[in-house]
Amino acid sequence: MHYQHPKQLQAAILDWAGTVVDFGSFAPTQIFVEAFAEFGVQVSLEEARGPMGMGKWDHIRTLCDVPAIAARYQAAFGHMPSDDDVTAIYERFMPLQIEKIADHSALIPGALEVIAQLRRQGLKIGSCSGYPAVVMEKVVALALSNGYSADHVVATDEVPNGRPYPAQALANVIALGVSDVAACVKVDDTWPGILEGRSAGMWTVALTCSGNALGLTYEQYKALPEAELEQQRRRIGSLFEGARPHYLIDTITELPGVIADINARLARGEMPQGC
């Protein structure tokens, strides 16, 4: 028996915040700021956005390793932040996150229509997030009340290693019964999420304007002058360069065109690992 590469996509693995819900990815970032503030350590919204896409404990650990933030922590506590200190911040972060997740649960404009279109084309809809399962339970329930339900959901603490490792994406492949990782496309607004898809051998689509990198509300995004928006696209594109996404688009509304292009490339024998 011989290997036959897939001729078309079978599944789209979608991120949550900044991809399908929460335009601008405000829910996680603002809570990081508030959690650190409760320990008397100032973290800006821009700083909090830096490691977005990682599991939340890892995100806090990464923030604590930023020299400027570590120095503020040392000034407040007399020592550099240890893993136990990270856990203490995480344990304060979690209830704040659960309490306030509903404040940023609106679906991204056009997402429902796009997902319905993908399903009509026969694609399964997987999903994963940097949120742990206890938060994802609430996120999923809120999305369902707004009309969205993924075929499978994988939280960051349901696998041995979260992003940028490929475990969450691959857990979706197994659960959805996909025959080949090259028949999947991973859609995300963060570099760890794109690295996750790349490491899993999937096609990858980076969202430049609906998520963490731009960090604006939908109304602010729509109000940007075209010249400034193009400047932001170039800036954000450079942030994604190291993760090597196959495609860069503004929001999920442009995904159907990307799906059509990927299907054409697969039909020609192209594979994501070679691009």
Side-chain angles (χ1 to χ4, degrees):
M1 192 166 182
H2 300 283
Y3 173 73
Q4 294 184 338
H5 68 80
K7 303 295 185 184
Q8 63 181 24
L9 290 171
Q10 298 173 25
I13 314 300
L14 308 179
D15 177 50
W16 285 82
T19 298
V20 177
V21 301
D22 186 12
F23 198 103
S25 194
F26 286 96
T29 48
Q30 183 58 43
I31 307 305
F32 285 120
V33 173
E34 294 180 22
F36 272 88
E38 293 202 7
F39 286 79
V41 178
Q42 181 184 358
V43 173
S44 71
L45 197 61
E46 183 179 358
E47 287 172 327
R49 288 186 180 279
M52 193 59 65
M54 292 181 171
K56 302 314 176 192
W57 192 96
D58 292 329
H59 188 129
I60 295 169
R61 176 70 271 176
T62 301
L63 288 177
C64 286
D65 290 338
V66 173
I69 297 174
R72 290 173 216 152
Y73 194 96
Q74 185 173 32
F77 292 95
H79 64 270
M80 299 296 278
S82 66
D83 283 356
D84 287 342
D85 297 318
V86 170
T87 298
I89 298 171
Y90 176 80
E91 288 176 349
R92 185 65 196 111
F93 169 88
M94 287 302 302
L96 284 171
Q97 184 75 93
I98 294 167
E99 175 188 343
K100 299 191 177 184
I101 196 73
D103 294 344
H104 303 282
S105 61
L107 291 171
I108 285 174
L112 272 185
E113 294 78 6
V114 165
I115 292 165
Q117 181 177 343
L118 300 188
R119 283 192 162 124
R120 286 194 297 271
Q121 295 173 0
L123 271 74
K124 298 174 181 177
I125 305 298
S127 70
C128 50
S129 171
Y131 287 133
V134 66
V135 177
M136 278 312 304
E137 183 179 358
K138 190 165 184 178
V139 171
V140 168
L142 288 164
L144 184 59
S145 70
N146 289 323
Y148 172 59
S149 176
D151 297 321
H152 191 63
V153 180
V154 182
T156 190
D157 57 349
E158 293 178 323
V159 294
N161 300 101
R163 302 163 178 173
Y165 291 88
Q168 287 178 269
L170 294 175
N172 274 279
V173 170
I174 295 167
L176 297 173
V178 176
S179 66
D180 194 309
V181 292
C184 293
V185 57
K186 176 69 202 306
V187 185
D188 206 291
D189 68 300
T190 67
W191 62 264
I194 296 301
L195 283 176
E196 170 196 19
R198 268 290 191 177
S199 299
M202 300 176 176
W203 299 92
T204 54
V205 180
L207 303 176
T208 58
C209 294
S210 65
N212 178 68
L214 186 61
L216 298 180
T217 67
Y218 180 72
E219 291 74 22
Q220 290 169 331
Y221 156 67
K222 295 299 287 185
L224 278 181
E226 184 57 37
E228 185 176 348
L229 181 57
E230 186 55 37
Q231 182 181 14
Q232 290 294 333
R233 288 188 185 112
R234 289 195 297 271
R235 177 185 69 82
I236 295 165
S238 68
L239 296 178
F240 277 115
E241 279 183 1
R244 296 178 56 217
H246 294 88
Y247 297 87
L248 289 161
I249 59 177
D250 279 7
T251 78
I252 197 172
T253 57
E254 299 173 57
L255 186 58
V258 171
I259 298 295
D261 191 67
I262 293 173
N263 281 335
R265 294 173 72 174
L266 284 170
R268 294 195 297 267
E270 295 184 43
M271 296 286 275
Q273 299 92 330
C275 302

